Amino acid sequence: MGQITISEQDIINAICVDQSRKNHVQPEDVEVELLYDDDSGFSAEAYVNGMKHGLETIDIIEALRLWLDEFLNENPYAGIELVLDDAEGIIAVISV
């Protein structure tokens, strides 16, 4: 069984695409900040038309499933683990 690593920038891109579809805007009109907190784990803030949308881990995973399916042609239901990497920031490790 192999693994794919998705970079922090591609996680942001995935959230931009997901949020653009939900809010009927272009992906480039979405700004995303990924966050990690020792107590609450992974989250993100997406800004669309000046409005902040708080995203939890499940929302990030949902966006990554879309990214896997449409952009990487991988199984969108593969195991996805978000990881805080000292060098790379927040990455996703996908079990394929």
Side-chain angles (χ1 to χ4, degrees):
M1 181 146 88
Q3 289 185 331
I4 298 172
T5 300
I6 297 180
S7 70
E8 184 169 284
Q9 184 59 56
D10 279 345
I11 295 172
I12 290 170
N13 293 345
I15 295 170
C16 286
V17 169
D18 185 57
Q19 287 295 305
S20 72
R21 292 183 182 178
K22 291 177 177 173
N23 293 285
H24 310 289
V25 297
Q26 294 299 311
E28 54 269 18
D29 294 334
V30 180
E31 290 182 42
V32 173
E33 182 178 357
L34 296 177
L35 305 165
Y36 177 79
D37 179 80
D38 285 335
D39 294 326
S40 57
F42 296 97
S43 62
E45 292 177 349
Y47 295 87
V48 181
N49 295 328
M51 295 202 42
K52 180 171 99 172
H53 300 264
L55 306 175
E56 297 180 13
T57 301
I58 190 69
D59 302 307
I60 299 169
I61 299 291
E62 180 182 318
L64 285 168
R65 292 196 190 292
L66 170 76
W67 189 258
L68 282 170
D69 187 32
E70 293 189 21
F71 294 87
L72 299 180
N73 295 314
E74 293 288 346
N75 177 3
Y77 299 104
I80 299 174
E81 179 184 7
L82 295 174
V83 176
L84 183 60
D85 184 272
D86 289 340
E88 312 248 344
I90 296 173
I91 60 172
V93 177
I94 317 299
S95 300
V96 293

